[in-house]
Amino acid sequence: MPRETIRKLSENTERLLVAGAHLARGNAELTRDKEALDQLIAKLGAKSPPVFAKLAEQLAKTLTAPGKTQALELLSLATSLAQVRAGLAQLAPVPSDDTAVPVAHAVETPCNAKDLYAVHDALVTTGQGRMEVIDSAVERGDIGDLRLVHAVVQAMSDAYIGATVADKVVPQFGRAIVEPIRKKLRFPGSKVDGRRLRALVAVQKDEARDLIDEAIATGSADMRAAAFDAIADHLPGAAGLDALALAALDGDKSGEVRRAAVRALAGYGTDASLQTLLEALDDARTLHQAAEALAKSRHPDATTRLLERLESSRVEAAAKVKKDDKAAATKRDAARSRVSAVLRALSEHRDPRIAPAVRALLEVAPILAAQTLVAQGHSDDLRLVADLLHKDYEPEFRVAVDALGKLPVDEAFDRVMALFVAKDRDTKLGKARLTALRSARFVPVGPRWAPALLALLGGAVTRPEALAWMIAATGDAQAVAPLMAALEREKKAELAAELVDALGTLGDKRALPPIIARVAAGELRWSISHAVLALADETTVDAVRTLFAALKNPNQNWELSYLLRSLERRYPGH
Amino acid sequence: MPIEVTEDLIRAVTTKDKALSDGRTLAKKGSFKATFRTADGSLIWGDCQGSGAKPYVLSIDLAGDAPTIRCTCPVKPPPCKHTLGLLVLFLEQPAKFGVGEPAAELIEKRAKNVERAEKRVEGAAKPSTSNVAAQKKKSEAQRAAIDELLEPLLLDLLNGGLGTIDGKRAAKLVEQARQLNDAYLPGAAERLRRIAALSTPRDDDDDTYYQLREPGDDLPDEQRHRLLTRHVTRLFAMVRKGRKYLDEKLEEGESQDDADSVVEELLGRVWKLEELKQKGYARQSLVLLELAYERYDDHVREERIEQSFLLELGDGAIYVDRTFRPLDRMDKMKEGESFEKPLLVSEAVVYPGFVNKRIRWEIAARKSRNLERADLDAIHARALPAFDAAVAKLKEQLKNPLAPDEAVLLVQIRDVRKLSDGGLVAIDGKGAKLDLRDSPLARYRSLGNLETTIGASLDANGALKQPASLLVRLYVGLADEAIHGQPLALIVGHDHVRVGM
């Protein structure tokens, strides 16, 4: 009762402060409040707090104050009321429908205060250098900080960094970021809402079905496309969603939505989905998406139907046309596109019928056909494709290396080692072959490699820079000492950088002193910085600082300056 | 006893990380020549070769409460990379400093420093005649401004009604705030600018939450008006208390502490540490542990505010180490520190104030040590046992009309549960419930972060692991005038998670 009386009085006083003190004199509401207060005081009797009497007195003054003093009296009343209400304040009532807090995965708070606000500001304010700050935080591994959740959610809508944040940063938070993103999600939705939807499905998977359904039923074209993309990327083959994709392909006017719906059909094994995808192969607007989806099709007849398509296009694709026969050339090119699409579609299917059909297409679509044969994995075909490495057509070298990687270890070993000692190793093609090993990320498996490669390194091999990365790729710890020795005697900066890069990859801290010596020799470049940072500990700070200090104009060497600052940030106080 | 040069001290005096990094490089490079120290180690000096022909001459006086740093290089204010490098060199290679006699000039400067320090102490204890006269003149100006400017404009505002303040009127309020500033009433001026900022509500669809122009300017009218009322009643309290204070009268039941807090709030005096020490606000031998850190830009004050909430492990008080940096000069001032390790402070001053008193210390008085498990045990031991104790502290604070409407407190909790409206409720050992939600005036949101942390801190039965203590900002809600809490940090066992920023 007292609380309610005071509350009403306070509200009416507040209204007068807002409307104007000149309305206070004789105000009807205040008069009623005074009566209520007087009754309360009378009821409480001796137990009535003295402050109530003071309030009543002040209220009386306010009701009767002449114009000049109305504001003063009203303000005095408001001030007294503020203190009374403060004294009456209680814990807010809480409903009794509380439930347990759901179990959650912990999200750490790894960021120190300085970096935290720097990253936060990069996420939510505009300006230069934001992407670099965010990329650094991703690389450091401390962007997944609980306190950045809301800033990350906000940044998803940023025109410049939004896509990067959605793809690289959001996944670092897991389920902790779901609710905040959900709260921001709007329908029919914009492109940004589409981004939010994809991020939610990536984390929640099937738990986000409600959002997918709503996006497809009521969403904008951006949202509908995002929903189908999300199905394709995160819910392949999920029950019931193919019907939505088929309906969209039947009636949606948006090309973007239709392309995404084609992608979403991947992973389904129904007749309707297979037929629709095959038809989509005939449409240039959906050709690529159909090929991608058919590659993942689970329909038992998918391979058969694709091979039929391949056969029906093969002859046309292989046709020889006269130079000035444009119509024939167009027809042939269209057939070749279809063949390429079908080959892509076949890339993830495994069937003994595929290899013979594809072999016949090595002339028509050499790289795609070779890739398909490698995927099928028959030994003879692998050798056939691996032999492409000895031919003269560079674009085929990468797929040839892929084939090498699938051959028996000893056979691959012999073929690769031969490349290092081939007579033409220093020609353009010879170098391209060795480069292809690296760019295709050939992985040397087994204990034979490291000793053999090291032996080459120590010999009169003129392509040593092509060896270093491969030695590191073996992961063989026995390679560290020989690489260090090679580094110490190496005079050429370019090769030294390769050796340093290899040592950084192997991750053995023993390699740090000779690497630092290279820095001392002024050979700092990105690969060397990277290796130093990979192997560093607290003592590295002083070592690099010593080198920095020894420079005539230290601050003009931005690479070394950057390396030193990176180390100082990692090891503060050193 | 000279100030000990430690890594802590060097970091404490550093205002820019790059300067310290460059200083370390200079030390490494051997750029310092003729480095000396006095026999007692209280003064170090030397030369440092710069880019010019003549080396820079530098010295660091380690007597007193804080190092006095001097360098002839053009970088101001100190410390520059040269002086930081000299400190690093002294720390790492003290043998390079020969014992010598400092130049007469340095002795003279030290003597002047000592004289100034003594004068400060004397001035704090007994102001000089000229100071007294100046202070009297200022007090008279303030008193006159209260009667002739502040109170009339406040009453005029209310005669018209707070709801009638439009853009034009708000601009006039800002102009009147400048006049209050000129009349040495900066606290009142700031309050008036807040009223001006709140009176013209923001009306856009921008849903960014961080760095609000003025917290509350996007609230529904009813709540915004309530907030305006709070500001207005606070201004009126400044009028009344300011008069009494300047007339040197204490209200019945008012403590000197209460009265002194008026000085800061209304009159905006920048306290000197000596003054506070003289008034008895010094504390010795404190062990402080940072539980939370916040940073925000106050566009009314045009300052960035960085504050660290520190638990005193001895008595459980929550202090605030607060730094104000003008937004247009942030690169000239050291950022407010966040303390990852416990601090050992030999002497600090605690400002007059309310539940969360501001604390300051001289650089030389502070050291840090590594965090130990016993420190985290002490957090739980020092936490208030239940919400009723915390609410009592808040209500005691609210009795003073100049006090903030919120207080940060550490309370033991038994559990946290989720409400159907998305809020959370904390439950203490007595079963009392505290509604947790982000304050509409908060400059960041932390409730979601707390929920995640709680979800990761449950035992096999789904209850919150124990012991658990919550650092919470208790505030009086605008809509219901009831007490709610916004979480700042959660400590469960030996895990300390900061949920706010």
Side-chain angles (χ1 to χ4, degrees):
Chain A
M1 174 67 166
R3 223 177 277 280
E4 186 56 23
T5 305
I6 300 296
R7 187 190 64 77
K8 276 190 181 158
L9 174 56
S10 194
E11 280 178 9
N12 289 330
T13 304
E14 200 175 280
R15 277 195 206 104
L16 287 168
L17 287 171
V18 173
H22 62 283
L23 298 170
R25 184 183 165 85
N27 181 270
E29 300 277 351
L30 273 191
T31 304
R32 275 194 285 277
D33 290 333
K34 178 147 188 332
E35 284 163 10
L37 185 58
D38 288 339
Q39 281 169 16
L40 178 63
I41 291 169
K43 190 175 174 187
L44 293 173
K47 290 182 185 173
S48 174
V51 71
F52 282 7
K54 284 186 181 168
L55 264 184
E57 189 187 328
Q58 186 57 45
L59 188 43
K61 280 186 189 173
T62 306
L63 283 166
T64 56
K68 270 188 187 176
T69 57
Q70 270 171 339
L72 182 63
E73 299 301 345
L74 182 65
L75 194 44
S76 298
L77 176 63
T79 306
S80 301
L81 274 168
Q83 288 187 270
V84 170
R85 288 199 76 176
L88 292 175
Q90 290 179 322
L91 289 176
V94 177
S96 55
D97 63 349
D98 55 89
T99 55
V101 172
V103 173
H105 295 286
V107 181
E108 310 271 321
T109 52
C111 239
N112 61 58
K114 196 170 273 191
D115 286 336
L116 181 72
Y117 287 103
V119 174
H120 186 283
D121 289 349
L123 287 166
V124 302
T125 58
T126 55
Q128 286 189 337
R130 304 166 66 197
M131 192 68 87
E132 288 76 14
V133 171
I134 293 168
D135 283 340
S136 293
V138 171
E139 202 180 303
R140 281 197 312 267
D142 57 18
I143 201 167
D145 190 300
L146 179 68
R147 295 163 291 178
L148 291 174
V149 164
H150 287 286
V152 167
V153 170
Q154 185 178 324
M156 287 177 78
S157 60
D158 188 285
Y160 178 49
I161 61 171
T164 301
V165 167
D167 295 337
K168 281 196 204 172
V169 178
V170 167
Q172 309 239 357
F173 290 88
R175 289 178 177 277
I177 207 163
V178 165
E179 271 312 306
I181 297 179
R182 272 201 178 236
K183 279 182 187 160
K184 287 271 198 181
L185 197 60
R186 300 282 180 270
F187 293 92
S190 63
K191 209 176 192 76
V192 172
D193 291 299
R195 199 180 281 159
R196 290 179 182 130
L197 175 62
R198 281 198 299 276
L200 284 169
V201 176
V203 173
Q204 291 195 282
K205 303 281 190 259
D206 211 51
E207 288 169 28
R209 282 288 287 261
D210 59 319
L211 298 175
I212 289 176
D213 289 339
E214 191 172 351
I216 292 171
T218 68
S220 62
D222 285 325
M223 283 289 264
R224 297 197 302 276
F228 287 122
D229 278 329
I231 293 169
D233 296 330
H234 306 295
L235 291 170
L241 293 174
D242 52 336
L244 298 173
L246 289 168
L249 282 163
D250 206 29
D252 202 302
K253 292 191 173 114
S254 162
E256 196 191 339
V257 174
R258 294 172 60 79
R259 279 189 287 281
V262 166
R263 290 189 68 234
L265 285 176
Y268 288 99
T270 63
D271 292 345
S273 62
L274 178 62
Q275 184 58 35
T276 303
L277 287 175
L278 288 168
E279 284 165 13
L281 267 183
D282 294 329
D283 186 341
R285 293 168 296 182
T286 53
L287 174 71
H288 299 293
Q289 289 79 15
E292 183 194 327
L294 281 163
K296 297 172 191 161
S297 173
R298 290 197 217 141
H299 195 289
D301 292 341
T303 308
T304 305
R305 300 287 294 275
L306 284 168
L307 287 171
E308 283 167 7
R309 286 274 174 142
L310 197 63
E311 184 55 33
S312 69
S313 300
R314 184 180 62 81
V315 172
E316 257 181 358
K320 298 228 186 301
V321 302
K322 288 183 184 157
K323 229 179 186 178
D324 50 357
D325 190 345
K326 283 186 183 164
T330 303
K331 213 171 159 191
R332 181 203 59 192
D333 291 344
R336 285 189 171 180
S337 288
R338 287 196 300 276
V339 162
S340 297
V342 173
L343 284 174
R344 275 201 299 277
L346 281 170
S347 62
E348 292 181 39
H349 291 260
R350 300 287 176 265
D351 190 294
R353 296 170 292 169
I354 294 176
V358 171
R359 260 181 239 131
L361 291 162
L362 278 169
E363 296 288 326
V364 172
I367 293 173
L368 275 172
Q371 284 171 345
T372 309
L373 288 175
V374 169
Q376 297 307 307
H378 300 298
S379 305
D380 290 339
D381 289 327
L382 290 173
R383 288 186 192 100
L384 181 69
V385 175
D387 284 342
L388 292 174
L389 204 50
H390 298 287
K391 302 238 165 108
D392 297 343
Y393 188 49
E394 265 186 65
E396 291 173 348
F397 287 175
R398 277 201 66 161
V399 66
V401 170
D402 289 340
L404 265 181
K406 290 190 165 192
L407 285 172
V409 172
D410 289 339
E411 194 173 332
F413 179 86
D414 292 336
R415 284 175 179 258
V416 169
M417 296 310 284
L419 291 175
F420 282 104
V421 298
K423 281 182 189 165
D424 67 348
R425 63 180 182 272
D426 291 322
T427 64
K428 184 170 176 277
L429 278 174
K431 288 180 190 177
R433 289 184 188 108
L434 292 171
T435 303
L437 285 172
R438 188 171 191 173
S439 54
R441 297 178 192 267
F442 177 77
V443 180
V445 176
R448 289 181 71 186
W449 288 95
L453 292 167
L454 285 166
L456 284 178
L457 192 66
V461 175
T462 57
R463 301 294 301 142
E465 68 275 11
L467 281 168
W469 76 267
M470 195 179 281
I471 294 170
T474 66
D476 193 328
Q478 291 185 47
V480 173
L483 280 175
M484 283 169 60
L487 179 62
E488 281 187 49
R489 57 175 186 266
E490 182 52 54
K491 290 185 175 45
K492 291 183 192 163
E494 297 252 347
L495 177 55
E498 291 283 347
L499 292 168
V500 165
D501 192 35
L503 284 164
T505 304
L506 285 167
D508 192 316
K509 287 188 191 302
R510 288 179 293 157
L512 203 43
I515 294 176
I516 298 285
R518 285 289 161 172
V519 176
E523 289 171 22
L524 187 62
R525 55 182 71 190
W526 183 87
S527 55
I528 296 184
S529 263
H530 195 69
V532 170
L533 288 168
L535 301 176
D537 58 24
E538 291 97 342
T539 62
T540 314
V541 186
D542 192 63
V544 172
R545 188 181 294 125
T546 303
L547 298 176
F548 188 66
L551 293 174
K552 195 172 174 193
N553 294 304
N555 285 317
Q556 286 176 11
N557 187 327
W558 69 267
E559 283 163 333
L560 191 55
S561 174
Y562 179 79
L563 177 60
L564 177 59
R565 304 247 181 280
S566 301
L567 290 165
E568 284 171 340
R569 283 169 66 89
R570 196 190 284 188
Y571 303 108
H574 287 268
Chain B
M1 183 84 168
I3 298 168
E4 190 189 351
V5 176
T6 59
E7 188 64 40
D8 267 347
L9 176 80
I10 294 173
R11 293 201 149 268
V13 301
T14 298
T15 51
K16 289 183 182 163
D17 288 347
K18 188 171 182 305
L20 177 55
S21 176
D22 288 345
R24 291 192 199 277
T25 300
L26 288 172
K28 178 66 69 177
K29 211 174 160 63
S31 300
F32 296 97
K33 309 286 179 223
T35 48
F36 290 95
R37 61 175 179 87
T38 50
D40 65 354
S42 66
L43 189 58
I44 62 176
W45 65 95
D47 297 341
C48 183
Q49 191 56 53
S51 47
K54 284 177 74 175
Y56 299 124
V57 177
L58 40 149
S59 67
I60 300 170
D61 194 334
L62 296 167
D65 295 324
T68 304
I69 299 173
R70 299 186 184 93
C71 183
T72 55
C73 81
V75 171
K76 298 284 180 273
C80 56
K81 62 184 179 185
H82 313 107
T83 48
L84 290 171
L86 190 70
L87 281 169
V88 167
L89 188 68
F90 189 61
L91 174 67
E92 293 180 354
Q93 300 178 67
K96 288 207 165 179
F97 288 72
V99 175
E101 282 301 313
E105 186 194 13
L106 285 178
I107 303 287
E108 202 181 311
K109 282 181 177 171
R110 171 183 277 188
K112 281 185 180 164
N113 261 359
V114 169
E115 200 182 315
R116 271 196 287 267
E118 281 169 1
K119 274 187 181 164
R120 272 200 303 273
V121 173
E122 273 173 28
K126 187 184 152 193
S128 70
T129 314
S130 59
N131 272 351
V132 167
Q135 190 56 41
K136 188 168 178 229
K137 198 173 170 186
K138 190 174 170 185
S139 297
E140 282 165 1
Q142 289 167 327
R143 186 70 174 77
I146 287 175
D147 286 346
E148 293 162 21
L149 184 56
L150 179 56
E151 190 178 36
L153 76 84
L154 189 55
L155 297 178
D156 181 54
L157 201 60
L158 294 176
N159 274 326
L162 295 174
T164 63
I165 303 175
D166 57 10
K168 203 171 160 186
R169 185 73 174 95
K172 193 176 173 200
L173 287 177
V174 171
E175 177 53 39
Q176 286 170 320
R178 256 184 234 119
Q179 292 170 11
L180 287 172
N181 232 358
D182 292 341
Y184 311 107
L185 296 176
E190 181 192 320
R191 192 66 55 179
L192 199 62
R193 282 199 299 275
R194 291 201 194 284
I195 289 174
L198 277 170
S199 297
T200 44
R202 194 139 59 104
D203 183 25
D204 56 32
D205 290 329
D206 183 2
D207 63 353
T208 55
Y209 70 94
Y210 194 71
Q211 310 295 345
L212 293 173
R213 198 176 57 192
E214 171 62 14
D217 66 358
D218 60 343
L219 288 174
D221 279 349
E222 198 181 309
Q223 291 181 46
R224 198 167 49 80
H225 290 153
R226 180 152 300 151
L227 188 54
L228 278 169
T229 304
R230 286 188 188 175
H231 282 309
V232 156
T233 53
R234 196 164 271 131
L235 261 180
F236 189 54
M238 283 184 188
V239 167
R240 298 205 320 207
K241 284 188 175 281
R243 271 193 191 122
K244 283 187 187 296
Y245 187 91
L246 289 165
D247 292 343
E248 294 181 25
K249 293 174 194 167
L250 288 178
E251 275 181 5
E252 190 184 320
E254 188 180 55
S255 69
Q256 187 60 47
D257 197 345
D258 285 343
D260 286 345
S261 69
V262 170
V263 175
E264 194 174 344
E265 179 67 23
L266 164 66
L267 306 178
R269 186 195 293 180
V270 177
W271 287 106
K272 295 195 171 77
L273 294 190
E274 275 312 316
E275 276 180 305
L276 290 169
K277 285 181 192 176
Q278 287 291 332
K279 280 181 167 280
Y281 288 113
R283 296 259 336 259
Q284 274 76 35
S285 303
L286 304 174
V287 182
L288 299 167
L289 184 59
E290 181 181 280
L291 296 183
Y293 179 88
E294 294 177 340
R295 183 199 86 173
Y296 61 91
D297 290 346
D298 187 327
H299 294 281
V300 167
R301 289 181 69 113
E302 295 178 335
E303 288 175 332
R304 172 162 291 175
I305 295 162
E306 290 137 348
Q307 52 192 22
S308 167
F309 290 96
L310 301 161
L311 171 69
E312 210 285 294
L313 291 181
D315 66 5
I318 306 278
Y319 295 114
V320 182
D321 173 38
R322 193 176 281 132
T323 304
F324 300 90
R325 293 196 290 155
L327 291 174
D328 60 355
R329 276 182 285 138
M330 281 202 295
D331 58 335
K332 299 272 185 281
M333 290 178 65
K334 185 177 166 65
E335 200 174 307
E337 286 184 78
S338 173
F339 307 105
E340 290 173 6
K341 295 181 177 181
L343 303 176
L344 309 170
V345 180
S346 57
E347 186 181 63
V349 288
V350 175
Y351 283 50
F354 306 101
V355 170
N356 305 122
K357 293 179 166 57
R358 190 176 169 200
I359 190 169
R360 266 177 71 193
W361 52 78
E362 299 283 11
I363 286 172
R366 177 197 112 190
K367 287 183 185 170
S368 65
R369 62 163 171 77
N370 287 330
L371 183 69
E372 294 159 9
R373 286 170 82 87
D375 296 321
L376 293 154
D377 292 331
I379 291 175
H380 297 298
R382 293 285 166 255
L384 296 169
F387 294 137
D388 53 6
V391 168
K393 282 184 183 285
L394 175 65
K395 286 170 75 163
E396 185 61 32
Q397 172 175 296
L398 292 175
K399 281 182 186 173
N400 189 318
L402 290 179
D405 291 328
E406 56 186 41
V408 173
L409 293 148
L410 181 68
V411 191
Q412 291 172 11
I413 56 171
R414 184 165 53 83
D415 201 3
V416 173
R417 306 271 293 171
K418 187 160 176 156
L419 297 172
S420 56
D421 66 356
L424 295 175
V425 56
I427 304 169
D428 69 12
K430 293 182 181 176
K433 293 182 178 182
L434 171 65
D435 178 68
L436 296 174
R437 57 189 68 237
D438 294 316
S439 163
L441 304 181
R443 296 178 188 266
Y444 57 79
R445 296 184 189 132
S446 58
L447 199 70
N449 299 341
L450 179 70
E451 184 176 338
T452 304
T453 307
I454 296 289
S457 308
L458 301 174
D459 63 20
N461 298 322
L464 185 60
K465 288 178 186 166
Q466 296 292 306
S469 300
L470 182 69
L471 185 75
V472 64
R473 175 178 270 119
L474 292 184
Y475 64 93
V476 179
L478 279 173
D480 58 4
E481 301 236 315
I483 296 173
H484 304 261
Q486 174 156 13
L488 271 64
L490 178 71
I491 305 97
V492 179
H494 295 118
D495 294 322
H496 171 201
V497 179
R498 297 150 187 257
V499 297
M501 59 180 289

